[in-house]
Each structure stands twice: as C-alpha cells, then as structure tokens.
Amino acid sequence: MEKVQCVRGTYDLYGDAKRKMNKVVATGATVVEKYGFEEIETPIFEFTEVFARNLGDTSDIVTKEMYCFEDKGGESLTLRPEGTAGVVRAFVSNGMQQNLPVKFFYHGPMFRYERPQKGRQRQFTQFGVELLGVETPQADIEVIAMAYEFLEKLGLSGQVTVEINSLGDAESRDAYRQKLVAYLQEHFDELSEDSKNRLERNPLRILDSKEECDKAVVENAPRYADSLNEASKQFFGDVLHGLDLLGIKYRVNDRLVRGLDYYSHTVFELTTDKLGAQGTVLAGGRYNGLVAQMGGGDVAGIGWACGVERLSMLLDETPYKQRPIAVIPVGEDAQNAALKIAHQLRLNGFCVEQSYSGNMKKRLMKANKVNAAYAVILGSDELANGSATLKNLDTGEQKNVALDKLTEELK
Ligand code: ATP
Ligand code: MG
C-alpha cells in the first residue's frame, strides 16, 4: 500500500510547533486589542473575483498561486491566498462605512500554490490587521508601531529590521512608472525572461526580482523618491517623523514595492536574516483605492499580515505549559476516589493527568513523562482515614495530606 501522507506543501501541526504558533497568535491578539482592533473571521473561500480583480491580474498570487475550483453549482471559487481582500469584501458586504474607523484583526490558514521549501508552504497561517477609514499618517505610524510591539513581545525585535518605502499617490506612481519603463527599455536585452514579460504589464515588480541579471540593471534604475510629488513627500516625511518620535528604527528601502496592485503611499516589511531566502516575516502597506474598487466608496485602508509559521520558527523557547498533577490510585478500591479527586482538582483549575493502568513504578514513570509537578497517591489505608500521599516529583519529598486540604496544599 502506498504511504498515507498529506498533500505536498501542507503539514500536520501539533506538539511544540503548534504551541509556538498559538503563542504567536495569542501575543498578536493581545497587542492589537490594546489599539482597539477586534477579531473578524471571514470565509476560507470566496468568489474567485474577490481576489482576481483586487490583487491585480499581474501579481504572482493571481497569475500563478491561486487554488481555484468550480463547485457543484458551477461557481468559480478560490481558497483565500491572503486576508485583506476578504476583510474589505466583508466591510463592503456588511455596510460598515457608517461607523469609521473600522479596525479588524484576523488569523487563519491561507493557500498558495508555491514551490514548497523552508518557510514556504502551500497552506500556511497568517495573522493580520486592517485599519479602514483613516487617511492621515497617524494610521501608518500606529500600525507599524503595533507590528513592532508585537515582535518585541515575542522577543524578536532585536532580530528584525523595519524596511519602509513610499509608492506615493497615483500621480507619483504613474510618473515613476514612466521613468522606470523608459530606463528598463534601454536595458531590455540584459533583463531576465520573466522581467522582459513584466515590463509591459507590471514593471514595478522588476525592482524586487531575485535574478542576478535584473539586480544589476535595477542597481542604477531611477530612484522612486525622485518621482514623489510634494503631497506624497510630505505624507512619507510625516510617517517617518512619527516613527522617530516613537523610537522605532527603520531603514528606507527605495526598492521595496510589494507585489500587489492595491498599494499606495506607505509600504513596509519586517525582515530577518535568520530564515534564509524566506526572510520577510511581516509585510503591509496602505491601500487607499481598494474599498472603492470593490464598490464600497472612498475609504482609505492600511494593514499588514505576518507569516505565523515563519515567526514561530524564530522562537527558540517552547512556550510554557502548565505542569500537571498526577493522580495515582493504588489498587481497585481507590479507583473511584481517584476519579473524584481528579475531577475536584480540575474544577479548582489544576491540570490533572489520571494514571490509567500499570503498577506503581510504571505509573510514576508516566507521571514524570508528562512532566507532572506532583503526584497524589491514593492508597486504601490512607483513604480510610481521609488522606492521601502528596509527592513532590522534583525533590522526591512526600507527606500525608488530608483530602479536604489537598487543593489548599497544592496552591
Ligand atoms: P514572499 O515574498 O516571501 O513570497 P509575499 O510578499 O508573497 O512573501 P505576503 O503576501 O506579503 O507575502 O504575506 C505576508 C507574510 O505571509 C509574508 O511576509 C510571509 O511571512 C508569509 N507568507 C507568505 N507566503 C507564504 C508561504 N507560502 N508560506 C509561509 N508563509 C508565507
Ligand atoms: Mg509570495
């Protein structure tokens, strides 16, 4: 029989890996709730158009990475490759424009047909935030500060760099695009095949190409900053000034463009050199036109998303797990008493592992294996006078404790 296994690029998550991911998500939620963000959960699949129309038909996601399928009713559906389009769709579907700003966070699985490698999966988890309805740079500053605090709380701030750039408003973007295309056309023969194809449709993407030949051309390409109009320069200056005020260190990266069509003004990435080529752990930007594009009116937006697996790979400590108490009956007669005592302890908030079978030695070995802090040993003599033996499994010390004092003693 063929080996039973899961689909390439997908993983079963359990044990330490899953605990670390839970810690990333819980830490994220705690941080962003302080900024007034509330959780939203949108469906895992949407009409294909939600992504195809809004992420841009030249983005890598739309051209190569989407899991699309036709359901039995003939609808074209897609497993969500990212979170923003779904949240903005929910914002529009539910008419949330009445009460701005709207601040959401989300987490859950995303799906992209990519070449699996370390830190790159076909099903992966994102935690992200979206802030809708604020046009001023305060929003940009706040969401970046929030991202930074999040990584700080995970103990990672020393390992990550905040990279930031501005794509400016539509006018600046068009101006830059023209300059860039003119420059790249002069160097057409030196570009990679992929980039030759991108030149007409999505020239900005060439800036973050990983191909050596492209990198050499890009080296001398026109600078984005030179194409920003006054308003866009002012906006970007205000964002950077705010980050300075908050003591958040950043590096302006003139080549940072992000892969999706919907970005404008501020774009940013938090990167680390610890994960090889998959060094971006969190990425985001401003998307002022996206809500309007979905028919929701002129509402500004900004957000970010992080890769939960990538972040959890950076955590070196396994998150703390409450140590259990092992309840061990000696002989058949003590079985019912053990059941009741275990139940009582759990109602009092303790984590309890009942020992199910085996002699005393085996049961104690099992208690050590689950890292129990104490064992409550129930022998028939002790039970007869309403007590039990409480054994500290770290020191080996043991003493007799009255059953009605047990919770108190353990606390
Ligand atoms: P990359 O350049 O690594 O492909 P991206 O620009 O496609 O990243 P985003 O769409 O910005 O990534 O997603 C935000 C974050 O989600 C990334 O920074 C990364 O941490 C994580 N991520 C994206 N794709 C994957 C994947 N296939 N597997 C695991 N994590 C991913
Ligand atoms: Mg990608």
Side-chain angles (χ1 to χ4, degrees):
M1 202 177 90
E2 236 184 80
K3 204 169 146 209
V4 179
Q5 54 192 8
C6 59
V7 175
R8 188 163 129 84
T10 69
Y11 298 88
D12 301 309
L13 297 165
Y14 56 93
D16 285 358
K18 181 61 180 166
R19 277 221 292 286
K20 286 183 179 178
M21 287 176 61
N22 287 348
K23 180 176 172 179
V24 170
V25 169
T27 305
T30 309
V31 169
V32 307
E33 279 173 349
K34 287 193 303 169
Y35 293 74
F37 284 67
E38 275 205 55
E39 185 164 355
I40 184 169
E41 186 170 333
T42 62
I44 282 176
F45 52 85
E46 300 266 359
F47 292 119
T48 297
E49 291 158 31
V50 170
F51 307 111
R53 279 193 41 212
N54 296 302
L55 307 187
D57 53 12
T58 59
S59 66
D60 283 351
I61 292 185
V62 174
T63 51
K64 299 188 270 202
E65 298 174 359
M66 295 210 300
Y67 277 95
C68 305
F69 60 99
E70 199 173 283
D71 74 2
K72 292 201 162 67
E75 296 281 9
S76 175
L77 305 178
T78 294
L79 298 181
R80 62 181 185 198
E82 56 96 60
T84 304
V87 171
V88 171
R89 197 272 310 135
F91 173 86
V92 176
S93 317
N94 295 283
M96 297 185 202
Q97 296 92 329
Q98 302 313 314
N99 210 354
L100 297 173
V102 164
K103 306 181 196 179
F104 282 129
F105 75 90
Y106 61 82
H107 57 91
M110 305 293 162
F111 306 84
R112 297 184 192 176
Y113 189 78
E114 303 205 64
R115 196 167 67 77
Q117 49 197 294
K118 188 181 177 215
R120 192 174 293 286
Q121 299 146 221
R122 288 182 174 174
Q123 176 174 335
F124 62 102
T125 313
Q126 281 187 340
F127 176 95
V129 301
E130 313 294 348
L131 197 172
L132 292 144
V134 183
E135 279 170 34
T136 57
Q138 276 88 339
D140 309 53
I141 299 161
E142 207 169 76
V143 297
I144 294 172
M146 201 159 71
Y148 194 79
E149 185 191 337
F150 170 36
L151 299 199
E152 200 162 48
K153 291 271 149 67
L154 287 173
L156 301 174
S157 56
Q159 307 178 30
V160 294
T161 311
V162 179
E163 303 206 29
I164 187 167
N165 193 24
S166 171
L167 305 179
D169 55 15
E171 186 187 78
S172 308
R173 204 172 155 157
D174 287 346
Y176 182 68
R177 197 187 148 104
Q178 275 182 20
K179 274 201 223 168
L180 181 67
V181 171
Y183 169 81
L184 292 173
Q185 263 157 357
E186 286 170 28
H187 297 270
F188 190 77
D189 296 335
E190 298 154 49
L191 293 173
S192 68
E193 281 313 305
D194 262 357
S195 290
K196 281 178 181 155
N197 291 328
R198 287 189 193 121
L199 185 56
E200 283 301 310
R201 303 181 65 199
N202 197 354
L204 287 184
R205 273 305 260 175
I206 299 175
L207 293 182
D208 62 9
S209 165
K210 309 272 187 292
E211 301 282 342
E212 288 306 324
C213 56
D214 293 333
K215 281 187 187 166
V217 175
V218 162
E219 189 63 32
N220 299 310
R223 298 270 136 195
Y224 214 120
D226 300 332
S227 297
L228 295 183
N229 58 19
E230 276 314 308
S232 300
K233 266 189 208 151
Q234 170 86 40
F235 190 96
F236 192 37
D238 289 350
V239 173
L240 298 183
H241 183 60
L243 296 178
D244 291 335
L245 282 178
L246 301 183
I248 294 169
K249 295 211 174 51
Y250 55 82
R251 190 171 78 85
V252 175
N253 175 355
D254 195 63
R255 297 298 181 228
L256 183 66
V257 288
R258 310 281 310 125
L260 304 177
D261 275 5
Y262 55 53
Y263 288 112
S264 56
H265 287 290
T266 318
V267 289
F268 54 93
E269 289 189 353
L270 275 61
T271 58
T272 167
D273 52 17
K274 302 240 157 56
L275 294 173
Q278 270 59 253
T280 305
V281 289
L282 183 150
R286 189 169 264 287
Y287 48 86
N288 285 351
L290 185 58
V291 180
Q293 202 174 305
M294 286 202 214
D298 186 17
V299 177
I302 182 163
W304 51 254
C306 71
V308 174
E309 287 86 352
R310 284 191 200 177
L311 278 176
S312 55
M313 284 191 287
L314 293 173
L315 303 182
D316 30 42
E317 262 172 60
T318 303
Y320 178 78
K321 189 178 155 204
Q322 192 188 351
R323 291 182 70 184
I325 291 160
V327 172
I328 303 179
V330 183
E332 281 298 307
D333 299 348
Q335 202 65 54
N336 285 341
L339 195 67
K340 271 170 70 180
I341 287 164
H343 189 61
Q344 271 311 317
L345 289 174
R346 286 179 182 134
L347 291 180
N348 277 290
F350 293 102
C351 167
V352 178
E353 291 278 355
Q354 279 213 73
S355 99
Y356 301 104
S357 63
N359 59 24
M360 180 57 84
K361 192 171 159 221
K362 270 226 171 96
R363 289 182 195 233
L364 278 172
M365 263 164 59
K366 277 197 181 142
N368 280 319
K369 211 168 161 196
V370 295
N371 193 28
Y374 289 92
V376 175
I377 300 164
L378 302 164
S380 43
D381 292 351
E382 292 153 305
L383 279 176
N385 62 34
S387 70
T389 300
L390 182 63
K391 183 177 168 107
N392 181 323
L393 294 175
D394 294 331
T395 62
E397 257 173 84
Q398 55 183 58
K399 60 177 171 185
N400 196 267
V401 176
L403 287 179
D404 53 3
K405 294 271 170 1
L406 195 56
T407 358
E408 216 173 288
E409 190 71 28
L410 283 165
K411 271 178 180 155

